[in-house]
């Protein structure tokens, strides 16, 4: 989209150091990039943050107008722009220290200036290509080292395009051979194996269909529901009675913990290599209502096959350069939490000892696993990873539709945010509070973003920018279920 240098208006009124007002002679959109030529520094990049049509028609006169009456109205289009800056001789982005002159010409910004000031460059080795700068043909690439070292959040309301964008991000990580573990509560990401159907609309983005079947491992605690997955099991020997109660779905710790502990100790005393089946038999021999419940719930645990003598080997689970899907579809919420807690703890411990490669842990529905209020079994380890993971090369990507409900420690530790449409005022407030450099105009724009446009902050960029998410190379697995046929 090459554009001629176009004058769009003039600066007027009081001019600040960070922002100015302009009267517009051409209609431009909020978020568009502009240029003002500074006497000392040359072309400076600016961005339209707000627009208003001003008129001399007041309420009284408008009310007195007849339905078909034409009346001469004096009106003008006013804009408020923020100054993004210019690159100095050292390559740093600076803002002029003297305000622009009132009356100065404002032009539509040319792409080379936009690319230079925003820092939009192609990085073959370290760039995750997530889309194009809105209304331009400039690639937005996120710095992969920053993503993994400084954590990411993906925020949007339901249906806002989080899973689609996350799919784009995972495709990029796989292309760059970054090891990922993806907590997939809905079993949506198996479709990363399958190339997207060609739809002809990919040209502008230059995305080729491609599947990643060879780089995807899938594990699930429930392989009967998720037959494409290998069983994910945990070592019974390292499961203490309290953990086992969670697997059993028993919350009444007071009643059940002591008798269960007794059973486990008795069984272990006679057979150190005991199985869940041995526990079932021991519970069966007991008498009374408590023993009966324990027996019944242990039978359930045996059926889930979650606990084995060995458990899934970590070296099978995490393979360098591959993505491991932890498919939790159909798994009860408390068991999901336990699986995440055990898994995240193991990953963190082994990452500290460098026994597994640096990796990126993706957490869908993060507000359930690290809630701001109440607690989940896995909250604590996730908070630890959010605050200390970077030191050990364990990156976290938290995905949520409820920014207000996710733990604030986790949210504030995410230095790259990918924000799609959010309308809930509480979630918007949580976002505005956790992100630096967000203008009121941007916060307003988040409420009306079309599907497929994301506000990107961090990721190697010094200023927030709007990005049209690129099409998927693989099939998107999170299509909404149609209840009634069209
Ligand atoms: N960038 C995009 N381009 C095209 N379609 C998209 C894009 N993002 C989302 N969609 C569509 O919007 C719908 C909702 O997206 P999804 O990622 O599943 O939402 P969320 O995970 O936020 O609930 C999907 O049907 C998907 O096909
Ligand atoms: Mg989703």
């Amino acid at each position: 989209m090459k554009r001629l240098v176009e004058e769009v208006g003039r600066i007027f009124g009081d001019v600040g150091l960070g922002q100015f007002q302009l009267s517009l002679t051409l209609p431009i959109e909020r978020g568009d990039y502009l240029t003002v030529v500074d006497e000392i520094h040359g072309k400076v990049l600016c961005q339209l943050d707000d627009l208003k049509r001003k008129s001399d028609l007041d309420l009284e006169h408008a009310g007195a107008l007849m339905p078909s009456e034409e009346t001469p109205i004096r009106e003008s289009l006013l804009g408020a722009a923020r100054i993004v800056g210019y690159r100095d001789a050292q390559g740093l982005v600076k803002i002029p220290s003297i305000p622009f002159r009132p009356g100065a010409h404002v032009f539509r910004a040319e792409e080379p200036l936009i690319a230079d000031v925003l820092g939009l460059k192609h990085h073959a080795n370290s760039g995750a290509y997530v889309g194009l700068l809105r209304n331009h043909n400039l690639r937005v690439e996120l710095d992969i080292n920053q993503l993994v070292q400084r954590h990411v959040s993906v925020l949007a309301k339901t249906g806002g395009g989080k899973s689609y964008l996350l799919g784009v991000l995972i495709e990029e990580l796989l292309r760059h051979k970054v090891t990922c573990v993806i907590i997939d509560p809905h079993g949506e990401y198996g479709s990363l194996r399958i190339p997207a159907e060609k739809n002809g609309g990919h040209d502008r983005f230059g995305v080729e269909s491609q599947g990643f079947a060879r780089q995807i491992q899938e594990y699930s605690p429930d392989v009967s529901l998720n037959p494409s997955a290998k069983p994910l099991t945990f070592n019974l020997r390292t499961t203490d009675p309290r953990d086992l109660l969670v697997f059993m779905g028993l919350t009444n710790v007071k009643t059940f913990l002591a008798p269960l502990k007794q059973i486990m100790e008795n069984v272990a005393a006679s057979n150190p290599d005991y199985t869940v089946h041995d526990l079932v038999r021991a519970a069966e021999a007991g008498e009374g209502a408590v023993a009966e419940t324990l027996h019944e719930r242990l039978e359930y645990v045996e059926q889930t096959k979650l606990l084995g003598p060995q458990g899934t080997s970590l070296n099978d689970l995490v393979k360098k350069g591959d993505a491991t899907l932890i498919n939790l579809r159909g798994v009860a919420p408390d068991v999901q939490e336990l699986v995440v807690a055990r898994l995240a703890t193991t990953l963190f411990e082994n990452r500290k000892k460098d026994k597994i490669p640096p990796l990126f842990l993706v957490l869908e529905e993060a507000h359930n696993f690290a809630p701001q209020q109440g607690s989940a079994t896995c909250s604590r380890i996730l908070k630890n990873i959010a605050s200390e993971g970077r030191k050990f090369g364990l990156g976290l990507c938290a995905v949520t539709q409820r920014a207000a409900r996710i733990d604030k420690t986790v949210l504030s530790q995410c230095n790259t945010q990918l924000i799609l449409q959010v309308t809930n005022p509480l979630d918007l407030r949580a976002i505005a509070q956790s992100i630096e450099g967000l203008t009121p105009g941007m916060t307003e724009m988040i409420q009306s973003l079309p599907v497929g446009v994301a506000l990107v902050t961090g990721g190697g960029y010094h200023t927030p920018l709007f990005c049209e998410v690129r099409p998927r190379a693989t099939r998107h697995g999170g299509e909404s279920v149609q209840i009634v046929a069209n």
Side-chain angles (χ1 to χ4, degrees):
M1 247 182 274
K2 198 158 167 50
R3 293 199 173 99
L4 299 171
V5 183
E6 243 178 343
E7 180 169 335
V8 296
R10 297 272 193 134
I11 296 180
F12 75 90
D14 297 338
V15 186
L17 279 173
Q19 66 288 316
F20 58 85
Q21 290 171 280
L22 68 161
S23 76
L24 288 160
T25 43
L26 282 182
I28 53 174
E29 274 182 56
R30 175 136 98 167
D32 279 354
Y33 289 100
L34 310 168
T35 314
V36 176
V37 182
D38 180 71
E39 286 159 11
I40 307 166
H41 305 289
K43 288 178 185 173
V44 178
L45 189 69
C46 310
Q47 187 177 28
L48 193 69
D49 201 38
D50 205 1
L51 265 176
K52 195 188 275 172
R53 207 181 269 281
K54 248 191 142 153
S55 76
D56 61 354
L57 181 64
D58 60 24
L59 178 64
E60 199 183 325
H61 285 94
L65 283 178
M66 300 304 283
S68 59
E69 190 181 345
E70 290 288 334
T71 173
I73 298 168
R74 272 169 25 114
E75 60 164 41
S76 45
L77 199 54
L78 305 186
R82 72 178 183 107
I83 301 173
V84 181
Y86 65 94
R87 285 233 178 233
D88 71 3
Q90 280 80 44
L92 299 172
V93 175
K94 295 261 175 72
I95 287 180
S97 49
I98 302 171
F100 296 138
R101 283 189 190 289
H105 301 270
V106 183
F107 303 95
R108 213 185 262 286
E110 297 161 282
E111 289 198 339
L113 179 78
I114 300 175
D116 181 43
V117 176
L118 296 184
L120 297 167
K121 275 196 218 119
H122 177 47
H123 299 276
N125 294 327
S126 59
Y129 168 43
V130 289
L132 297 173
L133 188 69
R134 200 185 69 130
N135 294 342
H136 294 275
N137 279 339
L138 297 167
R139 281 163 72 107
V140 177
E141 295 185 5
L142 305 175
D143 183 275
I144 290 181
N145 289 319
Q146 287 239 357
L147 296 185
V148 179
Q149 284 160 10
R150 312 198 56 198
H151 308 314
V152 182
S153 61
V154 180
L155 310 168
K157 65 185 209 177
T158 308
K162 296 179 296 296
S163 303
Y164 192 100
L165 174 53
L166 199 62
V168 167
L169 197 60
I170 297 167
E171 288 169 7
E172 288 296 315
L173 295 174
L174 287 175
R175 283 201 317 109
H176 289 87
K177 307 282 186 300
V178 177
T179 315
C180 306
V181 173
I182 299 152
I183 307 297
D184 182 7
H186 306 297
E188 293 175 275
Y189 293 97
S191 65
L192 283 162
R193 297 185 182 96
I194 309 163
E197 280 130 48
K198 286 242 180 274
N199 61 18
H202 290 191
D203 295 342
R204 196 177 147 232
F205 293 89
V207 174
E208 296 286 334
S209 292
Q210 179 189 1
F212 290 90
R214 270 191 273 155
Q215 283 172 269
I216 305 261
Q217 326 277 335
E218 184 180 352
Y219 285 86
S220 177
D222 188 338
V223 286
S224 56
L225 252 182
N226 303 297
S228 56
K230 292 182 207 150
L232 175 68
T233 59
F234 296 97
N235 189 335
L236 179 59
R237 217 69 63 241
T238 56
T239 304
D240 67 19
R242 216 173 256 275
D243 283 348
L244 189 54
L245 278 184
V246 182
F247 277 108
M248 293 163 76
L250 294 175
T251 48
N252 192 341
V253 177
K254 256 196 202 144
T255 311
F256 294 109
L257 186 63
L260 179 65
K261 199 165 167 223
Q262 193 63 57
I263 291 175
M264 288 172 84
E265 279 170 8
N266 290 348
V267 171
S270 60
N271 175 12
D273 295 323
Y274 68 94
T275 63
V276 179
H277 188 67
D278 297 323
L279 297 176
V280 172
R281 282 215 313 253
E284 196 177 18
E287 279 179 12
V290 170
E292 214 168 282
T293 307
L294 287 177
H295 174 229
E296 188 233 322
R297 297 314 298 170
L298 281 166
E299 271 188 324
Y300 160 77
V301 173
E302 191 183 9
Q303 278 164 21
T304 67
K305 302 197 180 83
L306 265 180
L307 293 165
Q310 252 133 32
T312 309
S313 134
L314 192 61
N315 290 330
D316 290 338
L317 198 70
V318 179
K319 292 238 167 78
K320 194 165 193 279
D322 287 0
T324 304
L325 310 179
I326 307 297
N327 185 344
L328 298 176
R329 193 169 70 101
V331 177
D334 49 351
V335 179
Q336 291 196 8
E337 285 171 21
L338 193 77
V339 168
V340 172
R342 297 278 310 251
L343 199 65
T345 309
T346 309
L347 293 177
F348 197 24
E349 292 310 316
N350 285 277
R351 202 34 238 145
K352 281 182 186 166
K353 297 178 199 147
D354 211 16
K355 287 193 174 160
I356 49 173
L359 63 90
F360 197 54
L361 175 63
V362 177
L363 196 63
E364 265 271 4
E365 310 284 355
H367 55 283
N368 289 335
F369 297 108
Q372 171 69 8
Q373 274 175 357
S375 72
T377 325
C378 47
S379 271
R380 194 203 291 202
I381 177 68
L382 293 174
K383 278 192 247 184
N384 281 349
I385 292 177
S387 36
E388 300 198 31
R390 72 189 55 176
K391 286 192 243 160
F392 304 102
L394 176 53
L396 184 70
C397 175
V399 184
T400 179
Q401 63 261 30
R402 291 312 315 272
R405 294 231 181 119
I406 184 172
D407 183 87
K408 292 295 161 293
T409 323
V410 173
L411 191 61
S412 64
Q413 292 293 328
C414 295
N415 284 281
T416 298
Q417 286 96 358
L418 307 176
I419 306 162
L420 299 137
Q421 193 190 39
V422 175
T423 46
N424 180 306
L426 295 176
D427 294 334
L428 275 168
R429 197 188 319 155
I431 290 171
Q433 282 169 356
S434 73
I435 299 177
E436 280 172 39
L438 216 58
T439 64
M442 286 174 187
T443 313
E444 248 178 69
M445 281 173 79
I446 293 173
Q447 299 176 52
S448 54
L449 286 177
V451 170
V453 178
L455 178 66
V456 174
T457 78
Y461 297 108
H462 57 87
T463 180
L465 44 91
F466 289 96
C467 169
E468 290 174 61
V469 177
R470 71 159 172 79
R472 290 276 295 267
T474 58
R475 184 183 290 175
H476 176 47
E479 299 297 337
S480 329
V481 176
Q482 284 206 342
I483 304 199
V484 187
N486 285 328

